[in-house]
Amino acid sequence: MICEYKHCRHKDNTQIKEFDGHWYHEDCYQERQDLMYILYTWRKRINKEVNPGDLYKHMYALFEKHPSNYIVFCLEYAIDNHKNLNYPAGLKFYVDKTEFKEAYKAAQNRKAQKEVKKYKIVAKEPQEEVKQTFIPQEDKGFSAILGH
C-alpha cells in the first residue's frame, strides 16, 4: 500500500492507515483535510472566485515551512481580526508575523489547559475502616482434615 497523498513527504509506507476508503499517513490525511477546509473557508468567507490551483500552490509552499494546523489558525485569525486578505499569496505575510505566532502559542496553551482541567485528578476522602466480621473457629488441626 502506498500513501495516496500527492505531496507526501514520507520515505516509507509502514504506518499507513485507511481513511475514507483511501490509504494515507495520519499527518498526510490531516494535511489534506486542512487543505480542503482552507479552500472551503476561503470560498465562503473571503473570495468565491479564487482559483483552486493557485490556492493549492501557495498552501503547499506554506505546508513545507509550517504545520497545516498553524496555517488554518492563521487563516481563521486573519478573518476574525479583519485583516486585509484578498489573495492566497498574501497569507504568507501573515504567517510570518509575530502577532500570529504569539496568538497561536496562546491558543495552544489554552487548549492544553483545557485538557489538563478535563483530566484533573481529585484526591478521594479516606474511607472508614471496615471491621472484620469473620471469626475463625477453633483450630482442630491436621486430624480434622483427614477425618479422624
Side-chain angles (χ1 to χ4, degrees):
M1 290 169 265
I2 298 174
C3 181
E4 296 181 30
Y5 185 55
K6 183 178 178 182
H7 294 274
C8 178
R9 291 185 281 286
H10 297 277
K11 294 186 180 190
D12 62 338
N13 289 317
T14 56
Q15 297 180 356
I16 292 183
K17 294 183 180 178
E18 185 175 5
F19 297 98
D20 300 330
H22 299 281
W23 296 92
Y24 298 102
H25 295 99
E26 286 186 41
D27 56 334
C28 291
Y29 181 73
Q30 183 63 41
E31 192 171 295
R32 180 181 174 273
Q33 291 299 102
D34 288 342
L35 186 64
M36 299 307 292
Y37 176 78
I38 289 170
L39 177 65
Y40 173 77
T41 304
W42 199 285
R43 284 192 166 173
K44 186 171 182 174
R45 298 180 69 188
I46 296 174
N47 184 1
K48 293 179 184 178
E49 298 176 6
V50 65
N51 181 2
D54 190 35
L55 179 72
Y56 290 154
K57 180 180 80 173
H58 291 289
M59 291 306 115
Y60 288 134
L62 289 174
F63 288 165
E64 292 291 324
K65 297 177 184 176
H66 304 284
S68 61
N69 60 351
Y70 176 65
I71 305 300
V72 169
F73 174 81
C74 288
L75 177 65
E76 291 175 347
Y77 188 80
I79 292 170
D80 293 341
N81 292 305
H82 308 288
K83 301 291 182 183
N84 188 13
L85 183 63
N86 296 322
Y87 300 102
L91 187 60
K92 70 180 177 183
F93 298 109
Y94 290 119
V95 168
D96 293 329
K97 283 191 172 186
T98 57
E99 174 190 355
F100 282 71
K101 290 178 182 179
E102 290 172 359
Y104 180 71
K105 286 180 185 176
Q108 293 296 337
N109 288 340
R110 283 192 302 273
K111 185 177 179 182
Q113 287 175 354
K114 284 182 183 178
E115 287 294 320
V116 168
K117 287 180 183 178
K118 184 177 178 182
Y119 297 108
K120 187 175 181 180
I121 298 173
V122 178
K124 292 184 178 180
E125 301 210 11
Q127 297 177 350
E128 295 179 19
E129 290 187 27
V130 179
K131 294 183 179 179
Q132 185 176 2
T133 57
F134 174 73
I135 302 172
Q137 297 177 350
E138 70 180 60
D139 188 20
K140 296 181 181 178
F142 191 68
S143 61
I145 297 173
L146 296 176
H148 294 272

